[in-house]
Amino acid sequence: DSKRPDALDPDRVISMIPLRPYHIVADIRCGSGHFSIPLAKYVSQGKLYAVDTTKEATESCRQHLAKVHLENAEVIYSKAKKLPIDKNSLDGAFLAFALHTIEDKASLLAEAARLLQPGGWVAIIEWYKLSTEDGPALENRVSEEEVRDLCKLAGLRFVSQRDLNGKSYLSL
């Protein structure tokens, strides 16, 4: 179903980010875990924190991870602005379709930056700010320029942008 963000192939997306098997990463706003499971499998010698603000999402993610017996993943339910993860402890933060769902985009990215070790990376997937049949309302979408500006505000270095499927893009 091309109407849903999960039409994206997680393995293809993972191949585009600077992920290593020993990395400690967070899937921020993980939802039911569409990317969490492939990320946790990839960081086999590392760790994955799957974080979301809804109990339904974290429960669903927890169940999906349990089915595939991944021991290196920890699911965290947190509504707090500060995530319960140690400062400077992450190699990477992954935010798939998270920014368009929240008001305070800048503080979410600042929080991601706080958790990163020096040299860490943030991968952001968002819908293009184009009117399409599927996806969120146009006014909620975040343009590539906005993502760049928000990253700069958070003290993150913008590296690259790639088209994923004509409807969404990856920013690093």
Side-chain angles (χ1 to χ4, degrees), residues 81 102-109:
K81 281 228 189 280
I102 57 170
E103 269 318 289
D104 196 353
K105 297 165 181 34
S107 62
L108 183 64
L109 287 171

Side-chain angles (χ1 to χ4, degrees), residues 37-94:
I37 291 168
L39 285 166
K41 282 181 178 171
Y42 195 92
V43 295
S44 55
Q45 300 144 48
K47 182 168 177 116
L48 173 82
Y49 294 101
V51 188
D52 207 287
T53 56
T54 70
K55 284 207 160 74
E56 301 78 36
T58 49
E59 199 40 52
S60 173
C61 187
R62 192 172 279 119
Q63 287 169 5
H64 286 114
L65 285 162
K67 274 184 203 148
V68 287
H69 308 291
L70 290 165
E71 304 295 315
N72 64 332
E74 184 182 330
V75 180
I76 300 171
Y77 164 72
S78 175
K79 281 201 173 303
K81 281 228 189 280
K82 274 198 182 322
L83 297 175
I85 298 170
D86 292 340
K87 179 179 191 239
N88 298 339
S89 67
L90 298 180
D91 295 295
F94 188 82

Side-chain angles (χ1 to χ4, degrees), residues 150-161:
L150 286 162
C151 286
K152 206 175 279 170
L153 273 174
L156 298 166
R157 189 170 51 99
F158 178 81
V159 179
S160 68
Q161 201 137 25

Side-chain angles (χ1 to χ4, degrees), residues 105-130:
K105 297 165 181 34
S107 62
L108 183 64
L109 287 171
E111 179 58 4
R114 182 184 75 84
L115 301 175
L116 288 179
Q117 295 180 17
W121 51 267
V122 175
I124 298 166
I125 298 176
E126 271 306 330
W127 295 89
Y128 282 116
K129 200 162 180 112
L130 300 168

